[in-house]
Amino acid sequence: VQFIIILAVIGTLAFNTAGQVLATAGPVGLLVAIILIGAIGWCVREIVREMVQVFRVLNAIFKYISAWVDKDIV
């Protein structure tokens, strides 16, 4: 269920934002924006993957957020 919600949010935002970027920057700008966002997402995934392998703890993602992002989020 959570994956369906995540995909619905990402899909809706991607289609709404893609139209605005296309109107502003044109087709090449849209392609650059999609590639840039994809590269950032991949880098974040790799960082989290490395942290999970090095710092093995229970409920790791919540521990990482409270330790390195913000204690009030969790």
Side-chain angles (χ1 to χ4, degrees):
V1 172
Q2 291 177 355
F3 287 117
I4 294 172
I5 293 170
I6 290 170
L7 288 175
V9 170
I10 291 173
T12 304
L13 290 175
F15 287 117
N16 289 341
T17 307
Q20 294 170 357
V21 172
L22 184 59
T24 304
V28 176
L30 177 64
L31 183 62
V32 169
I34 290 173
I35 291 172
L36 183 65
I37 295 299
I40 291 171
W42 187 32
C43 290
V44 169
R45 181 186 65 105
E46 290 294 317
I47 290 169
V48 171
R49 185 176 64 93
E50 290 292 329
M51 288 188 342
V52 167
Q53 290 177 357
V54 173
F55 304 111
R56 295 178 185 254
V57 293
L58 188 62
N59 289 329
I61 195 68
F62 297 110
K63 300 278 186 184
Y64 297 153
I65 291 172
S66 65
W68 288 301
V69 179
D70 189 10
K71 293 183 186 333
D72 295 333
I73 292 177
V74 179

